[in-house]
Amino acid sequence: CRASLPRRPPKTMASPLEEYLQRHELQEVLHRMANAVAKAMPDRPLDFMVDHLLALSTSKGAEPALARRLRMVREALVKDQAAAEAERERAEALEKDKAKLQYRV
């Protein structure tokens, strides 16, 4: 009769969520952010946390989504401003032409 060895529990595979959290170090990031909020006790904790995450993202060389979106909005505004200026100049030219035509009549 063979002595039975204690059975080892089967190795559990990390869930996709656990793998994701580990890969992106999210638990550590959230822990540090919670500690920073507790230490600073800001009047606006959500704003503080957003600033904390933006600073962290920037320090890792990534362009934060907010900064990327603001850049896109700025580019769109510059294009719109140029189009509006061109339209204003076109309207002024039409007004001058209209004034010349009225003068001839």
Side-chain angles (χ1 to χ4, degrees), residues 34-51:
N35 284 339
V37 169
K39 183 177 180 181
M41 297 182 72
D43 290 334
R44 299 177 58 122
L46 294 178
D47 290 345
F48 182 91
M49 291 188 301
V50 168
D51 290 343

Side-chain angles (χ1 to χ4, degrees), residues 72-83:
M72 291 170 54
V73 168
R74 181 175 179 265
E75 290 170 359
L77 287 173
V78 167
K79 285 180 184 178
D80 288 350
Q81 183 179 13

Side-chain angles (χ1 to χ4, degrees), residues 25-36:
E25 301 173 349
L26 292 178
Q27 290 175 317
E28 181 64 26
V29 167
L30 294 174
H31 179 74
R32 287 181 186 166
M33 184 171 57
N35 284 339

Side-chain angles (χ1 to χ4, degrees), residues 13-26:
M13 301 281 292
S15 73
L17 174 59
E18 290 170 329
E19 288 177 10
Y20 180 81
L21 293 173
Q22 289 173 358
R23 182 174 58 247
H24 296 287
E25 301 173 349
L26 292 178

Side-chain angles (χ1 to χ4, degrees), residues 51-83:
D51 290 343
H52 179 87
L53 292 172
L54 286 172
L56 178 63
S57 180
T58 302
S59 72
K60 292 188 175 192
E63 181 182 27
L66 177 60
R68 187 171 41 254
R69 181 67 181 133
L70 288 173
R71 183 177 39 79
M72 291 170 54
V73 168
R74 181 175 179 265
E75 290 170 359
L77 287 173
V78 167
K79 285 180 184 178
D80 288 350
Q81 183 179 13

Side-chain angles (χ1 to χ4, degrees), residues 91-105:
E92 286 178 358
L94 287 174
E95 284 297 320
K96 286 180 184 177
D97 288 346
K98 179 180 171 185
K100 288 178 187 177
L101 290 173
Q102 286 177 346
Y103 179 72
R104 289 184 186 168
V105 174

